[in-house]
Amino acid sequence: MDSLTLALWHQQDVVDGEGAQYGPEEIEASEDDPTAELWERSWWSGTCSLIERTGAAVVTSDRSWYTERELAEDPLNRELLHLVDELIVGHPVGPFRSLRIIAPRTSGRPFAERELVLMRLLHPHLQPLLVAAASERAVAAPVLTPRQLEILRLVRFGMPNRLVARALGISEGTVRKHLENAYERLGVHNRAEAVAIALDQDDVIARNVGLATT
């Protein structure tokens, strides 16, 4: 998952024993989706973004953080999800990138502490399975390092090198060098071309960025 844009690049669902797989072409969000703003607002204030906010692996549930009333009154849950509880298991794979398992419950009891303990024990063994599942539909694409992609995200917002350097706590020369290397990897010659290729095709590059190193 790309949590900066809330875009999914791979998804597998199992509902009532029936499985399905989706790639970015099937799960791309519509720009005029009326629920998009609600999703984004709820995401960064809720349990779903714990992986990104802590930078660590997470095994938790909504009811570990919210009372029954608080969860019922949450705008996203009240209007769209209607959950009793939701189990979240995941780990970060790069800046604003994560692999996760989501297990929603729409009826019955919330997840018990025993179930959470079992998932914490299983979590180290699930990580390679998640990586393999997310790589199944991978296609050839230019590979950027997490730092190069992080810089291009800031460049997309019109930030000059000196402000990018300040935001990331690195030197302006380092920013320039990362951009030059990104241009070479992408086969482009300037910032605009790099942003267009790297971020417009972000759902493809996302599959590979976790395998690269800074």
Side-chain angles (χ1 to χ4, degrees):
M1 177 163 191
D2 176 346
S3 55
L4 190 62
T5 62
L6 298 186
L8 299 171
W9 69 88
H10 180 88
Q11 178 177 333
Q12 293 184 22
D13 287 340
V14 178
V15 180
D16 296 330
E18 295 292 328
Q21 296 189 46
Y22 310 94
E25 64 277 6
E26 293 101 352
I27 55 182
E28 183 177 1
S30 171
E31 293 183 359
D32 57 358
D33 184 352
T35 66
E37 184 178 351
L38 181 59
W39 275 103
E40 184 171 2
R41 186 169 64 249
S42 298
W43 174 274
W44 290 109
S45 63
T47 52
C48 281
S49 59
L50 276 174
I51 301 170
E52 288 71 23
R53 287 187 279 136
T54 63
V58 166
V59 178
T60 191
S61 68
D62 285 342
R63 286 297 302 279
S64 297
W65 298 85
Y66 303 108
T67 66
E68 180 180 0
R69 180 176 179 178
E70 287 172 335
L71 185 60
E73 293 178 350
D74 175 77
L76 183 65
N77 195 36
R78 185 178 65 244
E79 296 184 26
L80 295 174
L81 302 178
H82 313 296
L83 300 178
V84 172
D85 198 3
E86 184 172 65
L87 179 69
I88 302 168
V89 179
H91 64 92
V93 292
F96 298 104
R97 300 298 166 93
S98 62
L99 297 174
R100 58 185 66 210
I101 295 173
I102 304 295
R105 276 187 178 170
T106 56
S107 62
R109 297 181 177 180
F111 286 96
E113 181 60 26
R114 179 176 180 273
E115 293 169 301
L116 293 175
V117 169
L118 288 174
M119 290 307 299
R120 292 185 186 112
L121 293 173
L122 287 172
H123 185 254
H125 307 287
L126 293 174
Q127 179 174 338
L129 298 178
L130 285 171
V131 172
S135 302
E136 284 179 0
R137 298 170 65 103
V139 297
V143 179
L144 298 182
T145 68
R147 178 64 89 184
Q148 290 166 353
L149 188 56
E150 189 176 26
I151 288 171
L152 285 173
R153 289 184 184 280
L154 298 178
V155 168
R156 175 180 55 180
F157 296 116
M159 295 177 66
N161 287 358
R162 61 183 177 82
L163 293 183
V164 172
R166 185 182 303 172
L168 299 179
I170 58 180
S171 72
E172 189 172 347
T174 300
V175 171
R176 189 180 306 112
K177 187 62 177 178
H178 277 304
L179 286 173
E180 290 172 356
N181 291 337
Y183 298 165
E184 183 177 354
R185 290 190 180 208
L186 295 172
V188 301
H189 304 286
N190 57 55
R191 300 159 77 92
E193 291 178 344
V195 168
I197 292 177
L199 300 180
D200 287 352
Q201 298 181 3
D202 205 26
D203 58 337
V204 176
I205 295 173
R207 300 186 183 93
N208 301 289
V209 70
L211 304 179
T213 59
T214 53

